[in-house]
Each structure stands twice: as structure tokens, then as C-alpha cells.
Amino acid sequence: MNRNWQHQTHQRAAIIFGQMNAALACAPDDRAREDFLQQPNNPYFSLLNDLYGEDYPLARLLDLSDLVVHAEGPDLRDPMPALRATTWLCTVTNKQLRHLVLSTMDLAQGAKRMASQDINLRLTGLAPGSLYAGFTLLPNHDDILNAQTEPVYQDARLAMQGLSRVPKYIDDEQLSPDIADAFPDPAVRDASLVAAFNLSPTGKRGIHTLSLSVPGSPPAHLGQRERVVLRDALRKPHIVNGKFGRFVGEVRAADLDQTRFNLRTSFGTLRCIVTDLPDTLARQIFGRTVEVSGFYETDVNGIPRLMRVDTVHEIPISEQIDMPLRHTA
């Protein structure tokens, strides 16, 4: 990662050291210089304490992270933040980023099957200022060089970074229609909305706002208002330029909390939204071949990527023999 926030911090420190040396040079004798260095309220030491105590840890996060999360609230105002708030921040962010990365990889054409434990997600560190936490996605292969250039990992990393753009399209009462242009792949857009909703704090754990940022862009904020808008958007998903169709495929992954699953078909993976998905049905169809029907949305290449499902019908094994994964659009 060719970032230089740490280098800029060192440059600022060099300026402070230069100014302090200039001040020492003006002292009349060694005793005066020693007194100057021993002052408990020495202004230069105060600047250095702030620089390396607060600015440098954040600079390190910005240099090493794909996504930086900044939480604010009553449990985080103290220099020693409440453990329950810190635990919640790391736990919920870890869970949602894993879901998003796994969903993105599962949506990728030709990507291998992966489980949540296979996602090599790392915490790059914590920094004060309420509380900052940085996260990055590392390859999970022996051949690191090849893995870092693997398109699937690059797409997953871009999806993580794209989370910081979601709050910008949350208006007072609904999502801005411009979000469709910002996220041209409707499946990735929907997965990002789910992750953003689950990251939005409820205010019950001492955290009132959560900001998401990537280097080079201003932070975007998630709070209780954004959570309400996202909840309504997920319950009533809007299919842009929807077309009716029927598709057959294998149910690959499920998010029962948000009534969503991925369907592996002959043309790739279709992300399906079932507004009423009972637990019994979800367990029954997981890993099975089903036919779904409803209105779907395509990506810029015209490939179906997101469907609001009206019906789900499991296809018996006896009917699957020599049957291709078909679709009718």
C-alpha cells in the first residue's frame, strides 16, 4: 500500500524537534537548557505527546487499512474506553465484513467455495479519538504475490472500501436513487446495504455514531436515523428497471436475518431476496436445487444479479437428472 500518513506524521515531528532545538540554542547556558527540558508543561513535549499518542496511531491505521471505522458515544469519550463498546465495535465489524467479503466472493463468477473462517480479515490496530479501528483483507494463500493480484480478492477489497460510500446516499426518509449508479452491480449494492444496516449503532451499547472512511475520502456517518432508512430499504427492496423471470440453481448461502440467499446458476450467481423466508424453508432449501421466480435487476452487462423472489420451488432429485441449470427471462 503506497500511503504516506505515517511519513507525514514523522515530518511534522521533525518540525517540532527543529523548533525545540532552535529554542534551546537561545538559552544562555547549560542550566537554562536543562530547566527548559525538565519543564512539566514544556509546549514542545505536549505537541509531541499529542502527535505520537493520537495522530500517529491513526496515521498507521490509514496506511495499513482497507477500511477505518470510527465510533463515538458516551462509553468512548474517556481515554480508557468501556470494554463493552470496544468489544461490540470489533465483533460487529468483523462479522459484517466477513459476510460482505464472503458474499462478494460467492457472487464472483468461477470463485471457489469459501467459508467465513477462510476469510483472512485482520485488525490493523486501534487508535484514540473516541475509538478508531482499522481493518484489512489479506490473501489466504501460500503464494501471497499471486493471491494479492487475484481479481476475486481485489473485488472483495473494493466492496469493503465501498461501504464508506453507502451513507452518502441515505436521505432523510429513503435511499437516494443515485445509489444505483454508485453501485452498478445490484447484488453487491444489496450486500453493502445489509452490512451498513448491521453496522449502524442502535445507541444501546454506548455508541451513538459510526463513521466509515478510506484514505483519500471524507468519512461518512451511520447513526440511528440511517439505521431506520436502511431497515425500510431492506424490507422493501427497489428493483431498478425490473424484469420478470424464472431461474433454476443451487442455493449457496443464506442470511436468515435479512431473508437473503445466493443462487448459483448457469450464468453466475443471483442474489435473491425473499421478504418472508421461514427458518424451516431456509433450512430445507440450503444446498438444494430450486426454481425461483420474481422481478430481477441486471448489471451493466445485462446479467441478472438481484431478484425480489415471489415463489421458491424445490426441484426433486428425480427431475434434476441431466437437467441443466436453466433460466427463463
Side-chain angles (χ1 to χ4, degrees):
M1 299 182 182
N2 297 321
R3 301 168 185 167
N4 60 358
W5 293 97
Q6 294 174 89
H7 181 66
Q8 292 179 24
T9 305
H10 290 315
Q11 287 183 319
R12 290 164 59 193
I15 294 173
I16 296 174
F17 279 117
Q19 292 174 341
M20 185 167 64
N21 288 332
L24 284 171
C26 296
D29 51 42
D30 291 342
R31 179 60 183 272
R33 281 189 284 272
E34 183 177 349
D35 290 343
F36 176 79
L37 293 174
Q38 296 297 327
Q39 289 178 5
N41 58 345
N42 185 304
Y44 297 103
F45 288 157
S46 297
L47 289 173
L48 289 172
N49 284 338
D50 292 341
L51 191 65
Y52 283 116
E54 298 182 7
D55 295 358
Y56 183 78
L58 179 57
R60 184 177 182 278
L61 291 187
L62 293 173
D63 279 346
L64 299 178
S65 305
D66 292 314
L67 181 70
V68 175
V69 179
H70 178 212
E72 294 183 289
D75 277 10
L76 298 173
R77 291 170 185 161
D78 192 273
M80 293 183 290
L83 186 58
R84 68 164 188 164
T86 306
T87 302
W88 178 88
L89 176 65
C90 293
T91 300
V92 73
T93 306
N94 172 62
K95 180 179 179 180
Q96 296 311 314
L97 290 183
R98 285 183 183 277
H99 279 327
L100 178 60
V101 168
L102 187 61
S103 177
T104 303
M105 288 184 170
D106 191 59
L107 290 167
Q109 182 72 22
K112 68 174 185 178
R113 292 174 182 263
M114 295 191 71
S116 180
Q117 60 266 27
D118 296 326
I119 304 300
N120 192 10
L121 192 65
R122 298 297 182 94
L123 175 70
T124 55
L126 301 172
S130 293
L131 185 64
Y132 289 89
F135 299 86
T136 191
L137 178 67
L138 295 180
N140 199 21
H141 300 284
D142 294 332
D143 188 347
I144 295 178
L145 180 61
N146 289 340
Q148 285 180 331
T149 58
E150 189 175 325
V152 171
Y153 273 88
Q154 297 296 340
D155 290 344
R157 187 172 286 112
L158 289 175
M160 282 179 55
Q161 296 174 341
L163 262 181
S164 65
R165 292 185 285 129
V166 171
K168 301 174 184 178
Y169 298 95
I170 302 176
D171 295 334
D172 290 339
E173 297 182 356
Q174 62 183 4
L175 286 177
S176 168
D178 294 339
I179 195 172
D181 295 328
F183 292 81
D185 187 327
V188 174
R189 181 179 73 235
D190 184 74
S192 300
L193 291 176
V194 170
F197 167 76
N198 288 315
L199 283 170
S200 301
T202 62
K204 297 179 180 180
R205 298 183 180 272
I207 297 177
H208 288 169
T209 61
L210 199 74
S211 301
L212 306 173
S213 62
V214 295
S217 299
H221 309 288
L222 291 170
Q224 296 179 51
R225 180 186 68 83
E226 288 78 11
R227 183 179 179 86
V228 171
V229 175
L230 287 169
R231 180 193 62 199
D232 292 342
L234 292 174
R235 287 178 176 175
K236 302 174 183 177
H238 177 59
I239 303 298
V240 180
N241 298 323
K243 302 175 182 178
F244 184 82
R246 299 178 184 274
F247 304 96
V248 171
E250 177 190 354
V251 177
R252 285 283 304 273
D255 184 343
L256 301 185
D257 292 335
Q258 298 299 335
T259 63
R260 282 151 166 80
F261 62 81
N262 293 336
L263 190 73
R264 178 65 77 180
T265 73
S266 59
F267 54 83
T269 300
L270 179 68
R271 185 172 173 88
C272 297
I273 305 171
V274 186
T275 55
D276 184 15
L277 182 62
D279 289 355
T280 53
L281 176 60
R283 288 193 295 268
Q284 177 183 343
I285 66 175
F286 186 76
R288 305 291 183 85
T289 298
V290 302
E291 181 181 76
V292 298
S293 66
F295 284 88
Y296 67 92
E297 182 179 347
T298 66
D299 62 11
V300 294
N301 297 315
I303 299 174
R305 294 288 283 167
L306 182 68
M307 170 180 274
R308 188 177 62 234
V309 175
D310 295 326
T311 63
V312 181
H313 170 63
E314 182 180 354
I315 299 178
I317 296 179
S318 59
E319 298 180 19
Q320 296 178 29
I321 300 176
D322 298 327
M323 182 192 72
L325 297 181
R326 67 180 185 272
H327 70 275
T328 304

